Amino acid sequence: MKTKRILYWTTTALLCLSMLISGIFPLIDNEHPIEEYTKLGYPVYLINFISIAKLLAVGTILHNRFKRLTDWAYAGLFYDFILAFMAHYMVNDGEQWGVLAPIILLLTSYFYKDQVRT
């Protein structure tokens, strides 16, 4: 049980830290995200929406009060990562493999959450 707890909290902390950084940074400095979103073919108005959604997902995952809402937060991040992978794959910039680490963190955190946080 201790190994599962350590694995869950490590992956959850790394996942939430990366989502906090990727959620706060575009709200502070829009220049680099605008270039990235334009390169990937996304409309620029999605930057603030996705950033705020990531921050809300982090809060929901860490709070873990409502199980269904927590599951939706995990699902939202999963869809975000899959869409990011596909967008990078379609523009063939070679950055799609960088999305696999957050997907692994997310899946590990999700599958251990019910065993650790009851």
Side-chain angles (χ1 to χ4, degrees), residues 1-94:
M1 182 66 178
K2 188 173 183 170
T3 305
K4 291 179 183 178
R5 185 175 296 277
I6 290 171
L7 187 60
Y8 168 75
W9 281 110
T10 302
T11 56
T12 303
L14 290 172
L15 173 70
C16 289
L17 181 64
S18 67
M19 290 300 97
L20 280 175
I21 291 170
S22 69
I24 291 173
F25 179 70
L27 297 174
I28 295 172
D29 177 26
N30 272 5
E31 192 170 312
H32 179 69
I34 287 174
E35 293 172 11
E36 286 296 316
Y37 275 59
T38 305
K39 178 182 79 170
L40 295 174
Y42 286 121
V44 176
Y45 63 82
L46 283 179
I47 294 173
N48 291 336
F49 175 76
I50 291 176
S51 295
I52 291 170
K54 285 180 183 180
L55 296 175
L56 289 173
V58 167
T60 303
I61 288 170
L62 291 177
H63 191 257
N64 195 36
R65 183 165 180 187
F66 304 106
K67 182 179 175 3
R68 185 165 290 166
L69 190 59
T70 303
D71 289 344
W72 276 99
Y74 276 107
L77 290 178
F78 182 75
Y79 291 130
D80 179 50
F81 296 155
I82 294 300
L83 290 173
F85 179 87
M86 290 307 297
H88 284 291
Y89 178 77
M90 294 307 288
V91 297
N92 201 20
D93 64 357

Side-chain angles (χ1 to χ4, degrees), residues 106-115:
L106 178 104
L107 292 175
T108 306
S109 174
Y110 178 74
F111 287 120
Y112 281 112
K113 81 173 171 58
D114 289 333
Q115 297 172 17

